[in-house]
Amino acid sequence: MPKKKDLIEKLYRKPYPKNLTVRELDMLMKKCNCTKFQGGRGSGIGYVHDKTKRILQFDGPHPGKELYKYQIDKIIKFLDDIGEKESDNEI
């Protein structure tokens, strides 16, 4: 299982990663104290940060499992907003 630091480094890599999967995102969000929920209709994905109650929500990628650039941009902004990029806490 990848460490939180490794997942964050992959997420923030330039150029952006084209192989970051929903499964890796699930692991990262769990390590960042977020709870996953069914985000709206159909293939929606959502996470709520347990401490701040901030929400990250978007339609899941399909037909593949690799996240799109706009989703990665939203994830990066979300992690910056909840202060997780600078966090070195390993769970």
Side-chain angles (χ1 to χ4, degrees):
M1 177 179 286
K3 293 183 179 182
K4 177 179 173 182
K5 179 183 170 199
D6 297 334
L7 292 169
I8 287 177
E9 284 176 5
K10 182 176 182 177
L11 181 68
Y12 281 81
R13 185 182 308 148
K14 298 292 181 198
Y16 78 95
K18 295 182 181 181
N19 63 346
L20 186 69
T21 65
V22 173
R23 184 168 182 249
E24 290 173 309
L25 177 61
D26 289 346
M27 285 188 279
L28 176 60
M29 289 295 132
K30 186 174 182 178
K31 292 173 187 255
C32 291
N33 300 311
C34 294
T35 303
K36 186 174 184 177
F37 63 91
Q38 186 65 29
R41 44 191 177 96
S43 64
I45 297 173
Y47 303 92
V48 61
H49 185 243
D50 298 332
K51 184 176 177 183
T52 64
K53 304 300 180 204
R54 291 188 69 111
I55 293 175
L56 170 67
Q57 194 169 9
F58 52 81
D59 286 337
H62 46 70
K65 297 291 182 189
E66 291 81 20
L67 297 167
Y68 300 117
K69 184 177 184 327
Y70 85 91
Q71 294 166 326
I72 291 172
D73 291 340
K74 285 183 83 165
I75 296 163
I76 288 171
K77 180 167 181 359
F78 178 76
L79 291 178
D80 288 343
D81 289 349
I82 64 172
E84 284 293 338
K85 182 185 181 212
E86 303 302 322
S87 175
D88 288 330
N89 300 331
E90 287 293 330
I91 296 176

